[in-house]
Amino acid sequence: MKLTRRKFIKNSLRSVFGIIGLTGASYYYARYVEPRMIAIRNFTLESVKIPTSLHDVKVLQFSDTHVGYHYDLKQFKKLINEINNQKPDLILFTGDLVDAPHLYDFPDELPILLSQLSSPLGKFWIYGNHDHGGNGTEKIKEVMKAGGFKLLQNSHTRIGDNKGSFILAGLDDVMLGRPNIDEALHLVDPDIFTLLMVHEPDVADEIQHYPVDIQLSGHSHGGQVQLPIYGYMITPPYAEKYVEGSYQLGDRLQLFVSRGVGTTRMPYRFLCRPEISVYTLKSK
């Protein structure tokens, strides 16, 4: 009974604050202005395990575009240009390309725009829950492949050359896929710097027990709507504990959660700008 009552009060507060916070000028700002105010967040990843040959390598992450739901190809094209302007060495997409694959017509321009992204060390992606939803699994895979992206689905690869490299791994979506951490990290040397892409951030509580140094996630949208003092209005399952920014778990794992680019369910952002993240590797 106590848990039920708490949940009722929490949901009621969300409704009240939503009505207060999204009326008049605030509504217009949250609906039409802030969702287009893309931010660039910069982080430094420093480790003795990063080889000197990869010092200052720039890894760019973008996530949760949700194309088709209040996010059109005109906006997507601007995003592509912004990403290329950062001159990344490696580009990573952490899931949810299209909001509703079963309702989207997948124009030919979408993979063409993806193919315009340029990074010398490659372009990689993982599935999000919306990618698997609506029978989108194979169609999204086809589009991303046509755009020059390589899928890491419970698998890993080496980034770099014979002078030095690190492990880049990807986990299948936790909600609608078939995630297998052991398979994704099979035979990975724990002494090699390892970066893992996982769409849902809260899985980090389990990932911290594996030889992973960095986890990159999205899914949360940063709550999309945040209010002073109250904080995040709503976060999806598996993004209720870790919502945005960076977190240190244990002695090894560092988690980074992106607010993502697009919106879903509610077409609003308030005090929660969309973002892309740039991580600069530093050999310690």
Side-chain angles (χ1 to χ4, degrees), residues 98-195:
V98 171
D99 192 72
H102 63 298
L103 299 176
Y104 192 61
D105 58 5
F106 288 96
D108 294 338
E109 190 179 0
L110 181 58
I112 292 175
L113 288 172
L114 286 166
S115 69
Q116 292 174 2
L117 288 171
S118 177
S119 53
L121 294 180
K123 303 186 294 188
F124 298 85
W125 74 288
I126 57 170
Y127 279 110
N129 55 304
H130 283 257
D131 299 317
H132 278 312
N135 298 315
T137 302
E138 292 305 316
K139 184 60 181 179
I140 298 295
K141 182 178 181 179
E142 175 187 322
V143 169
M144 294 300 290
K145 183 177 181 180
F149 278 76
K150 181 178 178 180
L151 173 64
L152 291 177
Q153 186 177 18
N154 298 327
S155 59
H156 68 267
T157 187
R158 277 183 176 266
I159 303 297
D161 52 28
N162 56 5
K163 294 181 180 179
S165 62
F166 70 91
I167 297 294
L168 174 64
L171 193 66
D172 197 4
D173 181 70
V174 172
M175 295 178 67
L176 298 180
R178 296 181 178 179
N180 189 319
I181 302 174
D182 292 314
E183 184 178 340
L185 301 175
H186 183 58
L187 297 180
V188 168
D189 186 341
D191 293 327
I192 297 179
F193 188 76
T194 299
L195 189 156

Side-chain angles (χ1 to χ4, degrees), residues 40-41 71 96 102 137 140 215 233 242 261:
I40 310 297
R41 300 195 70 182
Y71 193 86
D96 283 0
H102 63 298
T137 302
I140 298 295
Q215 176 181 322
M233 287 287 289
Y242 306 114
V261 175

Side-chain angles (χ1 to χ4, degrees), residues 188-206:
V188 168
D189 186 341
D191 293 327
I192 297 179
F193 188 76
T194 299
L195 189 156
L196 175 68
M197 294 187 291
V198 186
H199 185 65
E200 291 87 353
D202 287 359
V203 185
D205 285 336
E206 184 176 354

